[in-house]
Amino acid sequence: MSSPLRGISSMATRLLLADLAAAFEKAMGRKVAIESVGGVDAAKRVQAGEDFDVVVLASDAIDKLLAGGHAVAGTRVDIVRSEVAVAVKAGAPRPDIGSEDAVRRAVLAAPTIGYSTGPSGTALLQLFQRWGIAEQVRDRTVQARPGVPVGSMVASGEVALGFQQFSELKDLAGIDVLGMLPPAIQVTTVFSGAVCTASRQPDAVRELLAFFASPETADIKRRHGMAPA
């Protein structure tokens, strides 16, 4: 009997990958166990040579693992696209976020602003720079600790306005999701997978990644607030 495939991912795709793995097991009869941690920690563990078969992270992080020889060249597969939404504590006033100017006003008015350690957080800080407000809001911005959802910081009152992938906010108790960032400033992250260099089952991982990217998984992705890549 084939041994289970072992994977690691960032928290952003934790629930999605659990459902995709279950669908793969049902279709192919092969078990998959994917551990989800902070994206930075996931990359470090792959770089350290831990015996993972597959890694799923934001595409730029996957590219770095490929460039460093920690993932197998030519095995990157784009799996899903995820966009950023905005949230406040449940019952709190709901600022307008319907336009770029409205989001800028909401940020300037917020006593605290939460953002993630992932690519969406980096893009948000770049947006503040472009708006010319980075220094103005610096002392009010709070980066989530690795593996900690921004939404949980919003729910606890640690931050008043939170930005994170919609998939990580949509089912979280204690928050109100205001909606997606408007198209002019939307941050889209592509999450990709690759075969880890440490894997002793590379062909099986290629089969897994092909399944994760296949059209038959599109409905699963939409249920998690994401889109096929």
Side-chain angles (χ1 to χ4, degrees):
M1 184 175 178
S2 301
S3 59
L5 295 174
R6 183 173 179 236
I8 191 165
S9 77
S10 59
M11 295 298 290
T13 53
R14 177 175 62 91
L15 297 176
L16 169 69
L17 292 176
D19 282 354
L20 290 177
F24 179 78
E25 182 178 347
K26 183 177 179 181
M28 306 296 184
R30 183 84 180 247
K31 286 189 176 294
V32 183
I34 298 178
E35 180 181 355
S36 295
V37 298
V40 174
D41 289 339
K44 285 180 179 176
R45 289 173 64 181
V46 173
Q47 289 166 346
E50 198 166 329
D51 61 342
F52 293 111
D53 294 297
V54 63
V55 56
V56 178
L57 292 170
S59 57
D60 59 342
I62 291 292
D63 287 344
K64 288 176 183 175
L65 292 174
L66 290 164
H70 306 291
V72 179
T75 64
R76 172 181 151 177
V77 174
D78 294 341
I79 297 170
V80 71
R81 289 185 293 111
S82 179
E83 296 187 335
V84 171
V86 189
V88 295
K89 187 177 175 66
R94 301 170 64 98
D96 176 21
I97 61 160
S99 67
E100 179 174 355
D101 284 345
V103 175
R104 185 177 183 275
R105 288 193 298 271
V107 167
L108 287 172
T112 44
I113 304 140
Y115 67 100
S116 78
T117 57
S120 66
T122 301
L124 190 71
L125 294 182
Q126 291 170 345
L127 179 64
F128 294 169
Q129 289 280 2
R130 180 164 69 78
W131 282 344
I133 64 171
E135 290 300 323
Q136 192 174 346
V137 301
R138 184 183 305 279
D139 292 340
R140 292 186 274 136
T141 53
V142 182
Q143 185 178 48
R145 297 169 295 283
V148 175
V150 173
S152 68
M153 297 164 60
V154 175
S156 71
E158 184 178 351
V159 297
L161 192 68
F163 294 80
Q164 196 165 30
Q165 273 94 11
F166 175 61
S167 59
E168 294 194 73
L169 296 173
K170 62 187 283 289
D171 297 319
L172 197 63
I175 66 172
D176 289 335
V177 178
L178 302 178
M180 310 297 287
L181 282 176
I185 55 171
Q186 181 52 261
V187 180
T188 301
T189 301
V190 175
F191 289 94
S192 308
V195 179
C196 294
T197 305
S199 178
R200 292 183 289 273
Q201 308 176 80
D203 290 342
V205 179
R206 287 184 174 91
E207 184 179 40
L208 174 74
L209 291 172
F211 178 85
F212 280 3
S214 66
E216 62 199 280
T217 62
D219 287 344
I220 296 174
K221 294 167 185 175
R222 293 189 186 102
R223 285 203 304 270
H224 284 276
M226 298 184 181

